[in-house]
């Protein structure tokens, strides 16, 4: 059995979580920095790393407390369950932000005398759908609300005792090899995922990531911050057929994506065609000229185009793989955009149309979180892989 503390600080969420056996989430604490970055309408790296520094210790304390684990001078006391490893998202991300999590993880691993595991953030998004709250498993198994998160009982080995239900849970459906799609602020990538720790890239965006396109579209429409969820909510009020926006890279056979054309088309619909180029461009209109109805319709048209593109590429990937004699047993989604309401609806249609299970993370595990880091670390350890105190923070993927 493993009981792993995970840390995640790659961008603008400071997160810590405790996960048992790579699956059962005993605590999942996320401190978002939206309030700090809102006025800049984007993440400011220096502000992010400073906020991580201030928040990381209280966030870790909260995650341990919720999981019923108590430390005294770095050591678990009494019969409190023991952490068996520390994991940290150490790549890719903002370097100053990553360093905060990596340094905290090293200090904890050293003082507790347990292994440290560096985890790839993107691979962790591909694993997030396999996570379940221990509390939910308890409910399914009919034990009612025994609240194992707050007051775990301990087994002989000192681990929290959680009754595991095997009925129709996500992990039972997540069969490998799977077709994986990571849709986040920095990535739009398709993978063939052969195990929790192994994925082969088969398609990626050649310009903006889909989450980045959402964030920019929200600025164009003045929809608010954070852009993705605000634009999603606005789109639900509009008519997607009121305007047509382009779906890029659909004519050729590629599994790559492109979202910058969609973003530019939206800009021109909102502000008209510019006179001049680049910084000096002058637009005939501003987003202040939009009526509320038109703003919602444009948001809906943007959402329809962006999400349809993802669905079309998923189907194309299934076809390409099958033509190559490579069968996949499931489709797994991860990353912030997998919280999108239309994407969640449309992948369910895809599931029925193609007869293949589609696994989407539970909402708390779509956006950046540390449970996915701790969950994946369990599999690295099971394969005999861990790192040492030289573990680097790596900005690029
Ligand atoms: O995975 P994530 O939390 O961070 C990265 O690894 O980048 O993803 C954040 C991205 C942001 O671009 C955000 O706007 C987008 O996910 N996002 C959404 C929604 N919720 C978050 N995009 C569309 N619809 C949403 N509901
Ligand atoms: Zn992420």
């Amino acid at each position: 059995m493993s009981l792993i503390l995970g840390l995640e600080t790659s961008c603008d969420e400071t997160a810590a979580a405790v996960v048992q056996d790579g699956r059962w989430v005993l605590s999942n604490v996320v401190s978002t920095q939206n309030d700090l970055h809102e006025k800049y309408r984007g993440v400011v790296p220096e502000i992010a790393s400073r906020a991580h520094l201030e928040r990381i210790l209280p966030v870790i304390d909260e995650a341990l407390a919720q999981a019923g684990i108590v430390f005294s001078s770095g050591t678990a006391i009494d019969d409190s369950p023991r952490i068996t490893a520390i994991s940290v998202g150490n790549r890719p991300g903002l370097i100053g932000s990553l360093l905060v999590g990596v340094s905290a993880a090293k200090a904890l691993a050293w003082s507790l005398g347990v292994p440290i595991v560096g985890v790839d953030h993107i691979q962790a998004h591909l694993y997030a759908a396999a996570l379940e709250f221990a509390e939910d498993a308890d409910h399914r198994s009919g034990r009612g609300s025994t609240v194992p998160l707050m007051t775990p009982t301990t087994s002989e080995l000192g681990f929290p005792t959680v009754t595991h239900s095997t009925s129709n849970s996500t992990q039972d459906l997540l069969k490998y090899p799977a077709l994986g799609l990571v849709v986040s602020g920095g990535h739009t990538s398709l993978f063939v995922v052969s195990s929790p720790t192994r994925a082969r890239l088969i398609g990626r965006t050649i310009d903006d990531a889909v989450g980045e396109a959402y964030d920019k579209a929200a600025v164009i429409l003045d929809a608010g911050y954070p852009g993705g969820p605000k634009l999603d909510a606005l789109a639900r009020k509009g008519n997607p057929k009121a305007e047509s926006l382009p779906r890029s890279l659909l004519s050729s056979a590629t599994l790559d994506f492109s979202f910058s054309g969609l973003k530019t088309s939206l800009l021109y619909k909102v502000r008209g065609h510019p006179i001049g180029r680049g910084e000096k461009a002058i637009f005939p209109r501003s987003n202040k000229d939009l009526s509320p109805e038109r703003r919602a319709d444009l948001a809906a048209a943007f959402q329809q185009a962006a999400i349809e593109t993802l669905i079309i590429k998923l189907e194309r990937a299934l076809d390409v793989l099958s033509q190559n004699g490579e069968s996949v047993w499931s489709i797994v989604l991860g990353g912030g955009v997998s919280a999108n309401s239309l994407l969640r609806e449309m992948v369910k249609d895809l599931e029925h149309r193609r007869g293949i299970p589609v696994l989407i993370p539970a909402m708390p595990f779509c956006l950046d979180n540390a449970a996915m880091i701790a969950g994946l670390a369990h599999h690295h350890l099971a394969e005999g892989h861990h790192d040492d105190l030289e573990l680097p923070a790596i900005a690029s993927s």
Side-chain angles (χ1 to χ4, degrees):
M1 267 219 273
S2 71
L3 193 63
I4 300 181
L5 172 67
L7 305 182
E8 158 59 40
T9 61
S10 66
C11 189
D12 60 340
E13 324 282 355
T14 316
V18 178
V19 177
Q20 184 181 329
D21 293 336
R23 177 171 185 183
W24 308 105
V25 180
L26 301 186
S27 63
N28 182 48
V29 178
V30 182
S31 170
T32 74
Q33 301 176 8
N34 288 341
D35 51 335
L36 300 180
H37 303 287
E38 183 166 7
K39 72 174 162 194
Y40 306 101
R41 298 199 287 189
V43 177
V44 181
E46 289 76 11
I47 294 176
S49 48
R50 189 182 298 256
H52 285 308
L53 262 183
E54 286 164 7
R55 294 171 186 203
I56 187 80
L57 293 180
V59 165
I60 292 171
D61 282 348
E62 181 64 21
L64 292 170
Q66 285 187 20
I69 295 161
V70 187
F71 284 132
S72 171
S73 310
T75 322
I77 55 167
D78 304 331
D79 59 353
S80 155
R82 313 263 156 163
I83 291 293
T84 55
I86 307 291
S87 60
V88 58
N90 74 320
R91 61 193 189 278
L94 302 171
I95 191 69
S97 293
L98 287 169
L99 279 168
V100 177
V102 169
S103 308
K106 286 180 184 176
L108 278 167
W110 179 77
S111 61
L112 293 172
V114 295
I116 184 170
V117 185
V119 169
D120 183 295
H121 181 92
I122 304 308
Q123 207 151 29
H125 273 309
L126 285 172
Y127 184 71
L131 298 169
E132 291 191 56
F133 281 109
E135 200 178 37
D136 293 343
D138 245 23
H139 283 297
R140 267 210 312 275
S141 65
R143 273 178 51 182
S145 53
T146 49
V147 200
L149 296 188
M150 301 304 291
T151 52
T153 50
T154 47
S155 68
E156 278 170 24
L157 288 168
F159 293 108
T161 307
V162 178
T163 305
H164 299 166
S165 159
T166 50
S167 61
N168 199 24
S169 65
T170 312
Q171 189 147 2
D172 302 325
L173 296 169
L174 176 44
K175 295 225 170 19
Y176 298 107
L179 173 63
L181 175 64
V182 175
V183 276
S184 70
H187 291 78
T188 307
S189 304
L190 277 167
F191 298 90
V192 174
V193 191
S194 47
S195 78
T197 59
R198 275 183 197 81
R200 188 179 93 239
L201 184 71
I202 55 170
R204 63 189 306 176
T205 182
I206 57 166
D207 42 51
D208 291 351
V210 62
E212 185 183 358
Y214 262 89
D215 295 333
K216 289 176 177 166
V219 173
I220 292 169
L221 288 169
D222 199 16
Y225 188 88
K230 292 280 187 201
L231 194 81
D232 186 5
L234 181 61
R236 302 309 291 186
K237 298 184 200 152
N239 172 11
K241 298 209 174 84
E243 192 65 72
S244 171
L245 291 171
R247 286 102 173 111
S248 301
L249 282 189
L250 298 181
S251 53
S252 64
T254 178
L255 294 177
D256 287 340
F257 300 86
S258 165
F259 290 100
S260 74
L262 171 60
K263 174 196 67 189
T264 308
S265 296
L266 177 71
L267 177 70
Y268 290 177
K269 294 275 181 203
V270 172
R271 303 194 59 189
H273 281 268
I275 301 150
R277 291 174 72 90
E279 306 249 305
K280 294 203 176 109
I282 297 168
F283 288 89
R285 296 190 298 274
S286 107
N287 57 18
K288 305 272 178 289
D289 301 325
L290 292 173
S291 69
E293 294 74 27
R294 176 89 177 135
R295 190 187 301 269
D297 285 350
L298 284 169
F302 172 88
Q303 171 133 300
Q304 194 70 34
I307 302 302
E308 255 180 48
T309 305
L310 297 176
I311 298 292
I312 290 167
K313 290 285 172 169
L314 275 172
E315 292 218 59
R316 181 176 293 170
L318 287 177
D319 294 338
V320 168
L321 290 173
S322 120
Q323 279 155 23
N324 294 345
E326 263 190 277
S327 42
V328 286
W329 295 103
S330 55
I331 296 177
V332 62
L333 260 52
V337 184
S338 56
N340 183 270
S341 61
L342 184 63
L343 179 59
R344 292 174 91 90
E345 268 169 42
M346 289 186 81
V347 289
K348 285 295 152 193
D349 294 344
L350 174 69
E351 179 174 67
H352 293 131
R353 217 172 33 249
R354 303 292 295 237
I356 181 167
V358 180
L359 291 313
I360 322 169
M363 277 299 203
F365 308 133
C366 289
L367 293 165
D368 287 351
N369 67 87
M372 65 183 191
I373 302 290
L376 179 53
H378 166 87
H379 295 276
H380 283 300
L381 283 164
E383 290 174 4
H385 299 138
H386 66 81
D387 296 287
D388 57 26
L389 297 179
E390 302 293 316
L391 176 72
I394 304 168
S396 57
S397 43

